[in-house]
Amino acid sequence: RLAANTQLLARCSHLLKVGKNNFRPPPKVDSSVVRIEPRNPPPPVNFTEWDGLVRLCFSRKNRTLGAIFKTNAVLDLLVRNAKLVQALGLGKANNASNATSGLEAMMAADGDGDGDDGMAADDDEEMAEATTGTGSKGGKASKEERDQVREKAIRVLNSAGNYEDKRSAKLSNEDFLALLAAFNAEGLHFSG
């Protein structure tokens, strides 16, 4: 998650390796020097939505996205957030265009658009912790509501670029932005 969030808000580049023999006592790993330059202006992304999506995806980084979005905890969260967005009268188009413009801004700022700056995300939190800060308190969704949201989430994962069988650690920031835009366009939100 740290690498994904850093690369969203800054351009990261590897400068040089620093051998372990340059330290006393020598550590068991080599080090690197990286340059982190803030993006100015920052991409126009709803950071609460972004953090909610990335937090869920990296809660079990070795699970496929399809498996993550089929768990009852995630489905309950998505149902609650959908109900909240509907109750507040927030439109789908505003959130989807916000995430899409963030994707376009990131690709334009990077130039190459591949999103790979040589940094890997390495965060393995528990699924329960992933939903704690995003409105996990409250009643559980009904089986029908879960089934509807499950079908919608799998449809989004497949239509946005066949992400159902992919793992979070292998996705670029552009992939996460595309997923966020697709989920928001379908009325699925990650912040409550």
Side-chain angles (χ1 to χ4, degrees), residues 6-177:
T6 302
Q7 290 177 17
L8 176 70
L9 299 172
R11 293 182 61 110
C12 305
S13 55
H14 182 267
L15 297 179
L16 59 107
K17 285 179 115 178
V18 180
K20 56 186 164 191
N21 294 330
N22 292 322
F23 299 96
R24 295 288 175 246
K28 295 182 180 181
V29 296
D30 288 330
S31 300
S32 291
V33 176
V34 295
R35 175 183 293 144
I36 300 175
E37 301 173 54
R39 295 184 193 274
N40 194 9
V45 176
N46 180 335
F47 296 109
T48 308
E49 285 282 320
W50 167 267
D51 186 56
L53 172 65
V54 173
R55 184 179 297 262
L56 283 176
C57 290
F58 283 103
S59 62
R60 297 283 188 167
K61 68 177 180 178
N62 290 325
R63 267 191 178 182
T64 62
L65 293 178
I68 290 170
F69 284 96
K70 290 176 184 173
T71 63
N72 287 339
V74 171
L75 294 172
D76 287 342
L77 171 76
L78 293 174
V79 168
R80 274 192 308 277
N81 289 345
K83 288 178 180 178
L84 180 63
V85 167
Q86 186 178 18
L88 294 175
L90 302 175
K92 295 181 195 176
N94 184 25
N95 291 321
S97 65
N98 197 10
T100 303
S101 62
L103 172 61
E104 293 166 357
M106 286 273 301
M107 292 178 79
D110 278 344
D112 61 0
D114 69 357
D116 183 15
D117 291 323
M119 300 187 79
D122 188 20
D123 190 14
D124 195 11
E125 298 175 352
E126 295 297 318
M127 183 68 70
E129 182 180 323
T131 58
T132 300
T134 54
S136 65
K137 297 177 179 115
K140 292 184 178 183
S142 70
K143 182 174 179 358
E144 294 80 24
E145 291 171 323
R146 279 191 202 137
D147 290 342
Q148 289 174 351
V149 170
R150 179 182 294 119
E151 289 174 18
K152 194 182 281 191
I154 298 304
R155 185 174 60 244
V156 167
L157 289 172
N158 288 325
S159 67
N162 200 21
Y163 291 111
E164 184 178 3
D165 296 325
K166 294 186 180 176
R167 301 180 192 285
S168 302
K170 305 296 182 193
L171 298 180
S172 68
N173 274 16
E174 286 80 13
D175 293 330
F176 284 115
L177 286 167

